[in-house]
Amino acid sequence: MLGALGDLEEGAAWLDRGEALNQRAIAGGTEFGGFSVDLAAIHALRGEPDEARRWLGRAAERDGWRQFRFARLDPTLDRVRRHDWFAEWCAAMEADVTAQRERTRARQDRVRPP
């Protein structure tokens, strides 16, 4: 995947810059689940499945359910998609989406005018 940029070193440098940007946002308190999914993708591209798993776990804790549909299909995560834990993560995120829909539906019922 990094070779698609034409230069492995340049590709690795782009991943490093992406990681630094996401880490800066997290350190600055502007984190949401999408940054963690981005970092998981960076580690997946680097061939670091344990780190990718750690960041997807963090995404799950930080409203990552909002990004799970993209993560489920994102080709940058192909290297970790074959791991059992990835399917488990997707199932957990899908359950969170279902729960969020139910919470939203319940709130709409309470605020609907008579």
Side-chain angles (χ1 to χ4, degrees):
M1 184 68 131
L2 293 177
L5 289 174
D7 181 339
L8 289 179
E9 286 183 27
E10 183 180 349
W14 277 103
L15 290 180
D16 290 343
R17 284 192 286 277
E19 182 174 30
L21 287 170
N22 282 294
Q23 291 285 8
R24 201 170 324 141
I26 290 168
T30 59
E31 179 183 11
F32 74 105
F35 290 137
S36 297
V37 173
D38 290 346
L39 287 166
I42 288 168
H43 287 287
L45 287 169
R46 287 181 177 157
E48 301 167 346
D50 292 336
E51 282 297 301
R53 182 180 187 176
R54 185 173 72 83
W55 282 107
L56 287 175
R58 185 171 175 121
E61 298 167 1
R62 302 273 196 275
D63 290 337
W65 56 268
R66 293 179 178 162
Q67 281 74 36
F68 112 90
R69 289 186 200 138
F70 302 108
R72 189 173 57 185
L73 302 172
D74 188 343
T76 62
L77 292 168
D78 282 350
R79 285 187 170 182
V80 296
R81 198 172 313 287
R82 62 184 160 77
H83 294 275
D84 291 338
W85 60 260
F86 188 83
E88 292 167 6
W89 180 80
C90 283
M93 292 299 94
E94 191 164 13
D96 284 348
V97 168
T98 300
Q100 180 63 24
R101 284 186 185 139
E102 290 303 315
R103 286 191 295 272
T104 301
R105 196 171 297 128
R107 279 193 299 249
Q108 285 177 343
D109 290 345
R110 285 185 282 157
V111 296
R112 205 174 284 152

